[in-house]
């Protein structure tokens, strides 16, 4: 893009594209992930009761994206754990965060300036994870746009997407925390990145890859750090999500639906009562005329008796 050349950002984007994540950025990713696990309710109790369960949960936090994308690509889910150096590094960080004497490591990394820098470095790794998942899917499915988006999303936000399974490892079952039911900011921003990189990979988005990497990385880092600085937990996409939801996915209002159901129920109840009040035999054709004729012919017993007595009296008078 000419704008990148004018602003002298072309070399910066090339330098960022060639940046290695190991060891500094990977260390930041593992540290922030294990700290997030420690801050979960009941995590410290699990660490004391079952260190292996705590370690396994930490590995799911650190390598969840690779595990989930491997399952989706029909590959070995333990492939991300085949890199012994990364696993050893993550394990050392896990031990120091949970079991360091005097809790020195967690206390130092929890300091706001240190945590802010580590979080920004972790956001940089998100770009490489999403791009790696999209490229891996593109190597097998050239025209599979949705597959690229799904694999890139899984590799960049797998730790959150498999959070329910990770909770089961710690003996917790909270299905209402499913990321698909209520997405958090990292899951949303990863999905956006997967869509953008998939469109670029299939040439639907006219931008070079290293330029998109720079734009996306700057966007994620600035957003996350600004959210931490302002103490805001709301997503910056909330206004757009609200408008889209009200426009396309709101459906009929609950009050309108309940009113319709109430009117239908009342109408149906009134009709059923009317049917119950009128005998079914009265609906038959000719029923009323037959009944009237029958009543005229039969009459009441008292009336018949009076008529018979008057007839006898008249006959007696005639005979007299």
């Amino acid at each position: 893009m000419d704008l990148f050349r004018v602003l002298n950002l072309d070399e910066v984007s090339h330098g960022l594209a060639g940046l290695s994540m190991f060891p500094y950025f990977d260390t930041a990713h593992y540290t922030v992930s294990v700290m997030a696990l420690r801050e979960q309710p009941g995590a410290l109790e699990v660490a004391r009761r079952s260190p292996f369960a705590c370690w396994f949960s930490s590995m799911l936090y650190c390598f969840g994206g690779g595990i989930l994308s491997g399952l989706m690509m029909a590959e070995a889910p333990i492939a991300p754990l085949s890199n012994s150096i990364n696993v050893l590094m993550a394990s050392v960080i896990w031990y120091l965060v949970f079991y360091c004497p005097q809790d020195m490591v967690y206390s130092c990394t929890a300091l706001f300036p240190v945590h802010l820098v580590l979080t920004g470095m972790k956001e940089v790794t998100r770009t490489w994870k999403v791009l790696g998942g999209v490229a891996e899917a593109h190597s097998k499915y050239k025209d599979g746009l949705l597959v690229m988006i799904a694999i890139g999303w899984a590799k960049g936000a797998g730790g959150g997407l498999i959070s329910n399974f990770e909770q089961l490892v710690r003996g917790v079952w909270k299905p209402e925390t499913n990321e698909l039911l209520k997405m958090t900011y990292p899951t949303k921003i990863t999905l956006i990145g997967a869509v953008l990189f998939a469109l670029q990979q299939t040439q639907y988005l006219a931008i070079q890859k290293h330029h998109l990497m720079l734009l996306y990385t700057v966007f994620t880092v600035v957003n996350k750090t600004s959210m931490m600085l302002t103490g805001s937990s709301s997503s910056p996409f909330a206004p757009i999500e609200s408008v889209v939801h009200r426009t396309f996915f709101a459906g009929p209002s609950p009050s309108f639906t309940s009113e319709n159901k109430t009117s239908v129920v009342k109408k149906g109840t009134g009709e059923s009562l009317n049917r119950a009040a009128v005998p079914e035999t009265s609906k038959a054709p000719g029923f009323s005329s037959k009944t009237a004729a029958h009543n005229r012919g039969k009459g009441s017993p008292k009336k018949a008796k009076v008529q018979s007595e008057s007839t006898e009296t008249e006959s007696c008078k005639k005979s007299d």
Side-chain angles (χ1 to χ4, degrees):
M1 296 176 68
D2 295 335
L3 181 61
F4 281 83
R5 294 190 180 94
V6 171
L7 298 177
N8 295 323
L9 295 177
D10 196 50
E11 295 182 0
V12 176
S13 61
H14 279 289
L16 179 65
L19 186 64
S20 176
M21 296 293 103
F22 183 84
Y24 303 110
F25 290 92
D26 285 339
T27 302
H29 167 68
Y30 300 148
T31 303
V32 175
S33 299
V34 176
M35 289 177 65
L37 172 62
R38 174 175 168 146
E39 294 168 359
Q40 296 298 314
L44 288 176
E45 183 182 352
V46 173
R48 298 188 186 96
R49 186 175 68 249
S50 177
F52 178 75
C54 182
W55 173 83
F56 191 71
S57 294
S58 300
M59 297 304 104
L60 291 177
Y61 262 80
C62 296
F63 304 101
I67 294 173
L68 181 59
S69 62
L71 286 172
M72 295 175 66
M73 294 289 290
E75 298 177 352
I78 60 173
L81 303 178
S82 61
N83 192 328
S84 302
I85 297 178
N86 285 356
V87 174
L88 180 61
M89 182 187 300
S91 300
V92 170
I93 293 173
W94 159 76
Y95 182 83
L96 293 176
V97 169
F98 277 94
Y99 303 103
C100 181
Q102 305 298 325
D103 212 9
M104 294 178 58
V105 173
Y106 179 77
S107 300
C108 293
T109 54
L111 294 173
F112 185 77
V114 179
H115 191 58
L116 184 66
V117 174
L118 293 175
T119 303
M121 295 175 68
K122 184 183 186 300
E123 290 301 315
V124 175
T125 64
R126 189 182 306 277
T127 303
W128 268 252
K129 294 179 183 298
V130 174
L131 180 59
V134 172
E136 183 180 357
H138 182 261
S139 63
K140 294 185 177 181
Y141 305 95
K142 300 295 184 182
D143 299 325
L145 180 62
L146 293 179
V147 178
M148 298 179 201
I149 295 173
I151 301 302
W153 188 29
K155 197 156 190 176
L161 294 174
I162 63 172
S163 59
N164 289 114
F165 175 71
E166 182 276 325
Q167 291 171 358
L168 284 177
V169 175
R170 294 186 284 116
V172 179
W173 174 240
K174 293 181 178 180
E176 67 275 5
T177 61
N178 190 342
E179 282 287 333
L180 297 180
L181 294 176
K182 189 177 181 180
M183 292 187 187
T184 57
Y185 168 76
T187 305
K188 294 176 183 178
I189 196 66
T190 305
L191 177 59
I192 293 174
V195 172
L196 293 177
F197 283 110
L199 292 175
Q200 189 278 329
Q201 193 76 34
T202 53
Q203 298 181 356
Y204 288 109
L205 187 61
I207 185 174
Q208 297 185 24
K209 182 173 66 176
H210 56 278
H211 293 163
L212 182 59
M213 290 176 65
L214 177 62
L215 293 175
Y216 180 73
T217 303
V218 171
F219 178 76
T220 55
V221 172
V222 170
N223 262 330
K224 186 63 177 180
T225 53
S226 63
M227 289 173 64
M228 294 182 65
L229 290 172
T230 58
S232 174
S233 59
S234 61
S235 172
F237 310 111
I240 302 176
E241 294 173 6
S242 178
V243 172
V244 173
H245 179 76
R246 288 199 306 266
T247 305
F248 299 103
F249 306 105
S253 61
S255 59
F256 179 76
T257 306
S258 61
E259 289 176 0
N260 286 345
K261 289 182 178 180
T262 304
S263 62
V264 170
V265 170
K266 289 181 178 179
K267 184 178 179 181
T269 305
E271 291 179 355
S272 61
L273 291 175
N274 292 335
R275 294 194 195 99
V278 180
E280 292 293 335
T281 55
S282 64
K283 297 178 182 179
F287 174 78
S288 58
S289 58
K290 290 181 181 179
T291 304
H294 178 72
N295 290 335
R296 287 194 300 270
K298 185 176 180 181
S300 61
K302 186 175 181 180
K303 186 176 181 181
K305 185 176 180 180
V306 172
Q307 289 178 355
S308 62
E309 290 178 354
S310 61
T311 304
E312 291 178 358
T313 306
E314 290 179 359
S315 63
C316 290
K317 289 181 178 178
K318 289 180 181 180
S319 60
D320 291 340

